[in-house]
Amino acid sequence: MKNKLSDVIETFMKADYEVTVYATQREEEATEIVLEHAGDYDRVVCSGGDGTLHEVTQGLMELPAEKRPVCGYIPAGTVNDFARGLKLPMRVKLAARVSAKDKIKPLDIGRMNGRCFTYVCAFGAFTSVSYETPQAFKNLLGKTAYLLQGMAQLGSIKAYHVKIQADQETIEDDFIFG
């Protein structure tokens, strides 16, 4: 993203936006930035992977609805599952153009145990792989880094006792993945 940041800024300036850039340095920092500053803006656009989008969404959903700006997303992660599911452009400049437009689509945001999620909520075997794979490995190996991290976790798979309540149905059992 660093090499393409000036293109993104130019795209938004051409669309009459005043641009402020915040670069995150640590986990959960995007959530903190959104909570502190998002209420001052008309639009928040994040760039990164699914984890960055998750952190920004978490911050936005903690704001009162009347202070919550529109959110745009420029995918720049390793896999970008969410963006692919929405058929967002994978090229930064094209994704910036989409995020700068006024074509806004409402999306469902889920909540589980007090945390928000955009498209998937999971527990158990391999669900920590995307968070525990070092960024340096992802930069070097791409998607293969996730496969290797998953293989490293094979010996530590355990079952979770889970109770799921939805409408009038309750399911309770031990699961290795959900």
Side-chain angles (χ1 to χ4, degrees):
M1 185 62 194
K2 286 179 188 177
N3 299 334
K4 298 176 178 143
L5 186 56
S6 62
D7 289 336
V8 171
I9 292 170
E10 182 180 337
T11 298
F12 281 93
M13 289 179 70
K14 283 182 179 177
D16 270 348
Y17 286 98
E18 185 176 314
V19 179
T20 305
V21 176
Y22 294 92
T24 59
Q25 302 297 313
R26 60 181 165 72
E27 196 172 316
E28 302 294 329
E29 188 175 10
T31 301
E32 294 168 12
I33 290 169
V34 168
L35 285 169
E36 187 172 337
H37 300 287
D40 300 329
Y41 296 94
D42 298 323
R43 184 166 302 202
V44 169
V45 178
C46 67
S47 182
D50 295 324
T52 301
L53 178 64
H54 168 74
E55 287 188 19
V56 169
T57 301
Q58 185 67 38
L60 288 170
M61 297 309 293
E62 289 180 30
L63 294 172
E66 66 276 3
K67 292 195 174 240
R68 197 178 299 143
V70 170
C71 182
Y73 178 45
I74 300 171
T78 307
V79 179
N80 304 305
D81 282 337
F82 183 76
R84 289 182 193 284
L86 289 178
K87 298 189 178 8
L88 289 175
M90 290 297 119
R91 293 181 54 208
V92 169
K93 202 168 184 176
L94 294 175
R97 285 189 201 138
V98 169
S99 288
K101 290 182 181 174
D102 286 329
K103 186 177 180 183
I104 298 167
K105 293 181 182 179
L107 297 172
D108 291 329
I109 303 297
R111 190 177 295 272
M112 182 173 145
N113 296 335
R115 301 281 296 170
C116 293
F117 60 93
T118 52
Y119 72 106
V120 77
C121 182
F123 67 87
F126 309 115
T127 56
S128 64
V129 166
S130 62
Y131 298 101
E132 293 177 0
T133 303
Q135 188 62 50
F137 289 173
K138 292 189 279 186
N139 293 345
L140 181 66
L141 303 171
K143 296 176 191 176
T144 304
Y146 292 128
L147 178 65
L148 294 174
Q149 184 72 24
M151 289 170 57
Q153 292 182 0
L154 279 172
S156 62
I157 294 174
K158 63 179 183 173
Y160 293 82
H161 189 78
V162 177
K163 182 177 183 179
I164 302 168
Q165 293 177 294
D167 298 328
Q168 276 67 51
E169 187 174 356
T170 300
I171 300 169
E172 187 169 1
D173 206 341
D174 293 329
F175 299 92
I176 62 167
F177 180 80

